[in-house]
Amino acid sequence: MTVQELNQRYGARGRISFQEGFDGAVIISLVSRYGACELSLYGAHILSYRPVGHGPVLFLSKKSAWQKGLSIRGGIPVCWPWFGAVDESPDLPRHGFARIQDWTVVASEYTNDYTELTLGLKDSEESRALWPWKFELKYTIRVGESLRVALTTGNVDERPMEISEGFHPYFRIREIETVSVDRLDGARGVDCLSGEERKQTGMFSFAGETDRILYPKANGCTLVDSGLGRGITVTFQGTRSLVLWNPGKDKVMADVEEGEYRQFACVEPANTKRDRVAIPPGKTHTLSMEIQCRS
Ligand code: BG6
């Protein structure tokens, strides 16, 4: 559908609009009385979220590629149908292919309290070449008092399906050295850099390069940013695990500018490869996340 057709069918003046963006991608703007969000149909990738009364919540890299075929660095990537790399097939795209595909618009809705958009992705010849299952994904993004996203995987194949998945938000922070994450005390997990099992004591902080899976006891935590004087609360359902990631000073990444690592922290509700989700034929599984900013 063209941008004009999308606006006619799913748009609403001042609330939902579609426009042309980078490399032919469609950019969608969602506005409610509580805030605004922008996303790209390419990757179903949320690019920004600004709740009324707060600064931008998400980080976007100055060096992001903005090119189809590559993932966007920052915002909220959707990792699916696998999280991380596929060890047996290192050539497969990291974090799956959902973040580098064009999605379609399924529905839009708005009320006095929220603005909502639902996107969809189905298997194609291209996807089956990478991952031979028939699937139907629905991704709902709601901008209300908080930002709520829900990713539903439908197994429309005749065989059972196993996935790993995750939301990969890049939260904008003042500086990595002064943020911490609460409600993780006592959580067990693994340090993905050393492979060692870990148990968290007290608040979690990002000390140098960090790549940690934790199994929190609560289904939420707050990224406390004393520099910006705010907390970002992340609540999640459909998973038991969180990934905490920051590349640190020394990791060279083509799409992260030198020093930019200090400006973001990733707190990612995910079903990692250690916690694959089995979905029987005809069934669905939903992973959801809510983001709320508080001063
Ligand atoms: C995190 C992983 O979720 O994403 C890290 O735990 C990874 O291992 C990071 O480096 C970034 O991944 P990518 O593919 O977007 O560079």
Side-chain angles (χ1 to χ4, degrees), residues 10 34 37 42 65 86 116 178 194 205 245 249 254 262 269 273 280:
Y10 299 106
Y34 295 112
C37 159
Y42 171 69
V86 178
E116 185 179 285
T178 55
S194 65
S205 52
W245 180 70
K249 180 161 70 70
R262 298 184 75 224
K273 286 179 285 185

